[in-house]
Amino acid sequence: FKMETFIFLIWMGWRTLAMMMMGMGLLKLGMLSASLSKKIYGILAIFGVLTGLLLISIGIQKNFDSNWSVEYAMFFGWQWNYIGSLFMAIGYIAIIMLLSKVIKMNLMAKVGRLAFTNYILMTLICTTLFYGHGFGFFGSVDRVQQLVIVAAIWVVLLIFSYFWSNQFYYGPIEWLWRYLTYGNKPIFKK
């Protein structure tokens, strides 16, 4: 209870609010709609990723220098990652927007149109893989195996979204959400 109320408001609430405001600002500036030039996205990608990696690396080194002492790591050591991750986020956004300007992203757009359905599908896949009601792999998968699982889930979501979007206007959960929100049944099948 303490973690989800007091600590959230003091520690994470500010960051969450700031990230939401940053996202709104980036949307207003046109960064999230791929409307900026390739050059600007390239500069932001390089600057964001390099600055983020530099700050995070300094933080890791300082934590190693302090032998990962709780006093340092919990009060000062995490600040490097806290700030560096903001630059990394800008860099990642710029890379995705740059890719969307260079590569035809119809497949990714289909995934985005089924975002809620894909979120639930991904949750079902992951809980089946990692929790006790499924295969129970939690804690037994190394980093390389995790990357393979992530890539496999992406492929499943891309394929599912492609075939579903060719037959239907909405994902099943998007359709249900619209129905519950507006009170009338939207057209489902194309």
Side-chain angles (χ1 to χ4, degrees), residues 149-160:
I149 290 170
V150 167
I153 291 171
W154 283 355
V155 169
V156 167
L157 296 179
L158 286 167
I159 292 170
F160 167 76

Side-chain angles (χ1 to χ4, degrees), residues 4 46 48 54 61 84 99 103 115 148 179 181:
E4 293 176 2
I46 292 167
L54 175 67
Q61 185 58 51
L99 285 172
I103 302 169
V148 170
Y179 178 62
T181 300

Side-chain angles (χ1 to χ4, degrees), residues 8-188:
F8 175 77
L9 291 173
I10 298 301
W11 187 36
M12 292 185 60
W14 297 105
R15 182 177 176 94
T16 304
L17 182 61
M19 294 298 281
M20 289 172 50
M21 292 174 69
M22 187 173 91
M24 291 174 7
L26 293 175
L27 180 66
K28 202 166 201 160
L29 290 172
M31 185 170 175
L32 302 178
S33 60
S35 60
L36 303 178
S37 71
K38 291 178 190 176
K39 182 179 179 181
I40 291 175
Y41 284 122
I43 291 168
L44 287 171
I46 292 167
F47 175 75
V49 170
L50 290 179
T51 304
L53 285 174
L54 175 67
L55 290 171
I56 292 166
S57 297
I58 291 170
I60 291 170
Q61 185 58 51
K62 288 191 172 285
N63 278 309
F64 271 111
D65 292 345
S66 73
N67 202 25
W68 292 89
S69 72
V70 173
E71 294 82 13
Y72 179 79
M74 291 301 292
F75 295 103
F76 301 107
W78 65 276
Q79 293 292 326
W80 296 95
N81 185 61
Y82 194 80
I83 296 166
S85 64
L86 297 175
F87 287 98
M88 291 296 286
I90 296 290
Y92 289 154
I93 290 168
I95 289 168
I96 291 168
M97 292 299 108
L98 187 58
L99 285 172
S100 72
K101 290 179 88 64
V102 174
I103 302 169
K104 192 173 182 182
M105 300 292 275
N106 286 341
L107 195 54
M108 293 298 284
K110 290 180 186 231
V111 172
R113 284 190 210 103
L114 276 68
F116 199 2
T117 297
N118 280 321
Y119 172 74
I120 299 300
L121 180 58
M122 178 187 60
T123 301
L124 291 172
I125 291 169
C126 289
T127 57
T128 301
L129 287 174
F130 296 107
Y131 285 4
H133 67 269
F135 297 103
F137 290 150
F138 183 80
S140 65
V141 179
D142 66 29
R143 296 289 184 196
V144 173
Q145 291 169 326
Q146 289 174 17
L147 287 173
V148 170
I149 290 170
V150 167
I153 291 171
W154 283 355
V155 169
V156 167
L157 296 179
L158 286 167
I159 292 170
F160 167 76
S161 298
Y162 175 79
F163 285 110
W164 186 275
S165 294
N166 287 339
Q167 298 294 318
F168 302 98
Y169 286 108
Y170 307 106
I173 298 177
E174 287 79 10
W175 181 88
L176 179 64
W177 190 263
R178 281 177 175 78
Y179 178 62
L180 294 173
T181 300
Y182 301 116
N184 57 356
K185 290 184 181 178
I187 298 170
F188 192 51

